[in-house]
Amino acid sequence: MSSLAFPRGSARRRAGFGSLPDVFSRSGVDVLLAVALMALAVALLAFLPTAFNVDSWLALVAGREVWQSGLPHHEVLISMSHGATWIDQQWLSQLAMYALYRLGGLGLVGVANTVLFAGAVAGAVVGARKLGAPARAVLLSFLLCAGLIVYSHEVRTQEFAMPLFVAVAYLLASDSRAPSRRVYWCLPILVLWGNLHGSVTLGALLVALRGATMAWERRKLLLTSARQWRRPLTLALGAPLCVLATPYGVSILTYYRTMFFDGSVMKNVTEWQPITSVTVLAVVFFVTAAIAVWAIARHRSRTTLWEQLALLVLAAGSVDVIRNLLFFGLFALMILPVALGMGTRAESNGQSAIRGRGAINALLAGTALAAVLVGVFVTMVRPASTIELHYQRTPILRIVENATRADPSLKVLTDVRFADWLLWRDQALSGRIANDARWELLTPAQINGLQDLFGVSGTNWKQGAHGYRLLVLDKKYEPAAAQAFMAEPGSRVLYDDGERLVILRSAREAG
């Protein structure tokens, strides 16, 4: 029987049966990383009401449309583009968000968003560690990259793409170090991603880039063996084809052409503008990018050719378009600590924290986990109004509903901050609201007309409001338009809380 007894003392620890404090004491920096990740989750849950915004309501509205009527092909929600072709690239993530709402309301939608967001960040941290990055370097990189990542914390379909980006990035980074057939998993991931969010084009670019770097690495073998072409070509040519694997087929290219090459959309949507349009964010980005370039140049052997090129591609994409910053931040969190190194002798021996701190680390981790669980519970039981009405106001909804039901011909022109929320709360408004957050459905002339309208710019600035009698405006963002329409002959102010405004125009002025 004595041979079956657990080892004692140092022998017991060597056998891997140390107490919980011992486990924490041997990985102190990793515990701090775990605590930081859980703190991120708690912060996301605490500020959840501010994360529900324009794109949140758009996703729920579109998801409901898919749930009730199937995959959309023609626009039915807004009047300015009513009947036009609607290619709903994000249909699957929108459907998932609406399904979550039906299961657990806005609270579950918010919790799921937090899980996807924090889970992706955690995946990047784990990926960095598996690629050989020391825990200290990962912790420093987390502090550098957190601001770039958290900037995109809004509840939206983009969160569904975050774990997929991390998975693809890790598979490609691993393959660039030790080629394996596992890299083929990137292709089915791209297919799923292509039905969730438009950032799949970024993932496809990284996969194709891996095909190109693999061909370069095998350049001598390619001349002597046709078999060596198989994997580079599969990745380089298969990646863009995966983007087309949607119910819309090749028609999806129309959506991407509009989003990437329509100057009107890029000019009028903040997240499609260059990084320099947000000064503080630009400073954080350029500091992080400079540190990454310095670390890679100083120890080039620590990173692979694909990792170096991918980081440059994502950095260039972020300079050009703000919304790419999230993916640069996630990738930098995975690769930057590998380039930095910063490992200590104690860490290399598996002892990153001095003995005796195990109990403190365990307490920190336990407290952070408890805070996460409390945050989830509070989010799930809190009234939906505390989430939904952070910015919106129920009197606005009530006034719009009463006015449009009293006059079936009445159409509504609203600030984009209210459009999709109104559509979400009153499905009867479908087809009666001028436009919403889907700028890609509008023509350049319509977009410019709305910009002139809200900015009261030009002699024909009111043309964009032709046919719309009920206006929902925000004095903070459209002060000139609010003042002008309040002074319009025959107009009546139906609601004014000092910031938000509902105006009923005369039939004569609305034309």
Side-chain angles (χ1 to χ4, degrees):
M1 294 294 292
S2 61
S3 61
L4 296 177
F6 287 128
R8 298 180 179 179
S10 60
R12 177 174 176 172
R13 286 190 289 273
R14 285 194 299 270
F17 297 100
S19 63
L20 186 60
D22 285 336
V23 172
F24 281 113
S25 69
R26 290 199 301 272
S27 55
V29 183
D30 280 321
V31 172
L32 291 178
L33 277 169
V35 170
L37 290 168
M38 287 186 279
L40 172 64
V42 171
L44 292 173
L45 292 170
F47 293 98
L48 190 61
T50 64
F52 274 83
N53 213 317
V54 175
D55 285 346
S56 312
W57 309 121
L58 170 59
L60 289 169
V61 168
R64 180 177 62 193
E65 188 67 24
V66 176
W67 181 282
Q68 295 177 348
S69 305
L71 197 70
H73 291 276
H74 295 91
E75 174 53 33
V76 296
L77 299 175
I78 61 175
S79 65
M80 292 185 76
S81 300
H82 200 273
T85 300
W86 176 19
I87 297 177
D88 189 15
Q89 188 274 328
Q90 302 172 37
W91 70 273
L92 186 56
S93 54
Q94 293 165 346
L95 181 61
M97 280 187 66
Y98 182 67
L100 288 168
Y101 172 80
R102 289 179 63 91
L103 285 173
L106 295 179
L108 183 58
V109 173
V111 169
N113 181 84
T114 300
V115 170
L116 291 168
F117 195 101
V121 177
V125 167
V126 172
R129 294 290 279 137
K130 290 180 72 69
L131 291 174
R136 292 171 185 258
V138 179
L139 183 58
L140 175 60
S141 299
F142 177 84
L143 297 176
L144 282 171
C145 300
L148 304 178
I149 298 170
V150 173
Y151 177 78
S152 301
H153 74 287
E154 182 179 346
V155 175
R156 62 198 303 190
T157 55
Q158 182 173 257
E159 271 66 19
F160 287 88
M162 290 176 64
L164 302 185
F165 172 84
V166 171
V168 167
Y170 175 72
L171 285 170
L172 295 173
S174 298
D175 188 74
S176 68
R177 294 163 178 271
S180 167
R181 291 183 179 179
R182 290 184 305 170
V183 73
Y184 288 134
W185 277 105
C186 290
L187 300 180
I189 292 175
L190 287 180
V191 172
L192 174 61
W193 191 349
N195 291 275
L196 292 170
H197 194 258
S199 56
V200 65
T201 53
L202 203 57
L205 178 61
L206 295 182
V207 174
L209 180 63
R210 175 59 192 139
T213 58
M214 187 182 296
W216 173 257
E217 293 161 358
R218 299 181 177 186
R219 57 190 180 279
K220 294 182 179 180
L221 296 174
L222 295 177
L223 299 175
T224 59
S225 174
R227 185 178 180 182
Q228 295 295 326
W229 285 93
R230 182 186 305 170
R231 192 171 298 177
L233 286 178
T234 299
L235 294 178
L237 301 180
L241 292 177
C242 290
V243 176
L244 303 179
T246 78
Y248 293 102
V250 294
S251 297
I252 198 71
L253 293 175
T254 303
Y255 169 83
Y256 291 117
R257 183 178 68 244
T258 301
M259 296 305 296
F260 295 146
F261 301 107
D262 189 330
S264 298
V265 173
M266 301 180 74
K267 175 183 176 182
N268 294 293
V269 181
T270 301
E271 64 180 12
W272 283 99
Q273 295 175 3
I275 185 67
T276 50
S277 61
V278 182
T279 305
V280 175
L281 206 57
V283 171
V284 177
F285 164 74
F286 284 115
V287 168
T288 304
I291 293 174
V293 171
W294 170 80
I296 289 174
R298 189 166 180 241
H299 298 286
R300 290 190 61 185
S301 61
R302 290 177 179 172
T303 53
T304 65
L305 175 63
W306 177 84
E307 291 167 348
Q308 295 162 11
L309 293 177
L311 192 67
L312 289 175
V313 167
L314 292 170
S318 299
V319 170
D320 187 49
V321 177
I322 292 178
R323 71 176 306 158
N324 291 331
L325 196 62
L326 168 67
F327 301 104
F328 170 81
L330 287 171
F331 191 76
L333 179 55
M334 185 182 298
I335 302 303
L336 177 56
V338 178
L340 285 173
M342 296 177 60
T344 64
R345 182 175 299 178
E347 250 189 323
S348 64
N349 292 331
Q351 297 176 350
S352 59
I354 61 173
R355 192 176 303 281
R357 290 187 180 176
I360 297 176
N361 291 332
L363 179 61
L364 283 173
T367 302
L369 179 59
V372 171
L373 296 176
V374 170
V376 170
F377 176 77
V378 170
T379 300
M380 291 299 298
V381 301
R382 71 189 303 176
S385 60
T386 62
I387 297 175
E388 178 187 0
L389 302 180
H390 175 74
Y391 180 82
Q392 282 74 20
R393 293 293 181 269
T394 50
I396 294 177
L397 174 65
R398 184 172 63 251
I399 290 169
V400 171
E401 286 179 333
N402 291 340
T404 53
R405 287 171 184 172
D407 184 354
S409 67
L410 200 64
K411 290 186 177 182
V412 186
L413 177 66
T414 171
D415 180 286
V416 73
R417 296 165 186 81
F418 295 102
D420 287 296
W421 176 71
L422 289 170
L423 285 168
W424 169 243
R425 289 298 302 268
D426 186 2
Q427 199 168 357
L429 292 173
S430 294
R432 301 178 68 177
I433 287 187
N435 68 289
D436 64 359
R438 294 167 300 156
W439 296 100
E440 68 273 14
L441 294 180
L442 304 181
T443 65
Q446 288 174 326
I447 294 176
N448 292 332
L450 288 173
Q451 292 299 315
D452 291 341
L453 170 69
F454 291 122
V456 190
S457 175
T459 56
N460 295 321
W461 67 271
K462 206 183 293 187
Q463 184 64 31
H466 181 74
Y468 295 95
R469 290 188 59 201
L470 195 63
L471 308 180
V472 183
L473 303 174
D474 190 311
K475 292 182 180 180
K476 179 179 178 181
Y477 294 97
E478 295 94 24
Q483 189 66 32
F485 282 112
M486 288 175 68
E488 189 178 57
S491 68
R492 288 194 296 128
V493 176
L494 304 182
Y495 177 81
D496 185 355
D497 64 6
E499 184 174 346
R500 303 156 190 86
L501 186 70
V502 181
I503 298 176
L504 180 64
R505 305 172 68 200
S506 68
R508 178 180 178 180
E509 291 295 330

